Amino acid sequence: MNTAAPDLSYPIGHPVLPDEPLDRGARTAYMAQIATLPDLVRSSVLGLSPEQLNTPYRPEGWTVRQVLHHLPDSHMNSYTRFRLALTEDNPTIRPYDEAAWAELPDIEATPVAVSLALLEALHIRWVKLLRNLTDEQWQRTFFHPETKRKFTLDQALVLYAWHGRHHLAHITELRKREQW
């Protein structure tokens, strides 16, 4: 019997990025995760009260509201990184302070429905781009100066499919623990 406490920070574990190019089937599966994320996130928060939206998913963690606003913020940055990698030779992307963004005044002032709509529209556009890339384009890269690492678009696809599932699990696991 496993008695270890669940990792509330990483409920689905850490991302595992491929070293080799993905095959078409794997790409299709990851794209499907990105395509379906907005509906899954919307369903995960259906019926939550303002108090529940203001509940952190773990001690010292973000609230559900912050997670909901973070997803489109983060995924807009990723979408831009894809576009930069497709139009420039190994561009250095611009990192941003996610924690500081989660504390900006629009997070509390903006209804979560706005960020859910933004996530939905963004993912429609992003998936249209992804589904039309060639095998060669998937190997284009960008450089992340904080991690000092070059990412292929295949690796970025895996990372952001994981990212969506990661934050969805923060919400769904909290709902289970709190029995909402």
Side-chain angles (χ1 to χ4, degrees):
M1 181 172 163
N2 184 0
T3 58
D7 185 347
L8 300 179
S9 296
Y10 291 92
I12 65 168
H14 292 270
V16 178
L17 303 183
D19 293 324
E20 299 296 323
L22 297 174
D23 63 31
R24 187 174 307 275
R27 282 188 196 124
T28 299
Y30 287 116
M31 285 186 269
Q33 290 175 26
I34 289 174
T36 60
L37 180 69
D39 287 340
L40 295 172
V41 170
R42 187 179 297 278
S43 294
S44 77
V45 298
L46 193 63
L48 291 184
S49 69
E51 294 78 23
Q52 290 167 323
L53 289 171
N54 290 326
T55 303
Y57 68 86
R58 66 175 173 83
E60 319 259 327
W62 285 346
T63 65
V64 173
R65 178 183 313 280
Q66 287 172 307
V67 169
L68 291 173
H69 291 303
H70 164 73
L71 279 165
D73 287 347
S74 175
H75 290 196
M76 279 189 293
N77 274 281
S78 181
Y79 174 69
T80 299
R81 292 168 182 177
F82 269 78
R83 296 182 71 81
L84 288 169
L86 289 165
T87 59
E88 299 177 20
D89 185 27
N90 193 40
T92 298
I93 58 95
R94 186 173 186 313
Y96 66 102
D97 185 341
E98 295 176 346
W101 283 36
E103 297 296 330
L104 290 172
D106 64 316
I107 299 302
E108 190 62 37
T110 305
V112 296
V114 172
S115 282
L116 291 171
L118 178 57
L119 186 69
E120 181 178 4
L122 173 64
H123 277 230
I124 290 168
R125 179 87 183 267
W126 194 10
V127 170
K128 294 282 187 200
L129 174 67
L130 299 176
R131 288 185 176 152
N132 286 288
L133 297 183
T134 65
D135 288 339
E136 294 76 27
Q137 287 173 314
W138 282 106
Q139 300 319 303
R140 294 193 58 89
T141 60
F142 61 81
F143 179 75
H144 196 301
E146 282 184 348
T147 61
K148 307 221 180 312
R149 178 176 178 174
K150 184 188 322 188
F151 289 86
T152 67
L153 293 185
D154 269 340
Q155 291 169 327
L157 173 68
V158 172
L159 180 61
Y160 279 88
W162 170 88
H163 184 260
R165 293 189 328 273
H166 165 73
H167 285 302
L168 177 63
H170 285 149
I171 298 165
T172 59
E173 293 301 313
L174 175 63
R175 285 193 79 139
K176 285 181 198 170
R177 287 192 314 275
E178 296 295 321
Q179 298 181 351
W180 292 339

